[in-house]
Amino acid sequence: GLPVLAIVNPGNDLLRLIPEYKIGIADDGDNLEVLGQKVLLLAQQIREDTQITDRCKALANSLFESKTIAQQILSTFKPNEN
């Protein structure tokens, strides 16, 4: 249920997913001043957005649910249907 502050490589899917699901901030830069601004922005989001932790929990539960993981594993064993 914790909001995310992610520093990732350029092109990482998290740059799109984190803002899309409104669960925190992702950045692909290495500028410490900009990172400091992002930390302050995330702190402000946490104060103002009372639903952010609920969204974080819901997303984590849906992504890491046993059934979802089992389906992902089984899908790797299915033959390609091209």
Side-chain angles (χ1 to χ4, degrees), residues 2-61:
L2 297 176
V4 178
L5 175 63
I7 309 303
V8 298
N9 294 327
N12 189 299
D13 289 343
L14 292 176
L15 289 168
R16 178 183 50 82
L17 293 174
I18 290 172
E20 179 180 324
Y21 287 98
K22 299 179 185 171
I23 58 169
I25 294 177
D27 190 72
D28 63 357
D30 59 1
N31 183 315
L32 291 179
E33 187 174 321
V34 171
L35 179 58
Q37 293 169 357
K38 301 276 181 159
V39 169
L40 294 174
L41 181 60
L42 179 59
Q44 179 182 355
Q45 284 180 358
I46 293 168
R47 280 193 308 271
E48 295 174 358
D49 183 354
T50 59
Q51 301 299 310
I52 193 168
T53 57
D54 294 335
R55 286 192 304 276
C56 292
K57 288 176 189 176
L59 183 60
N61 288 338

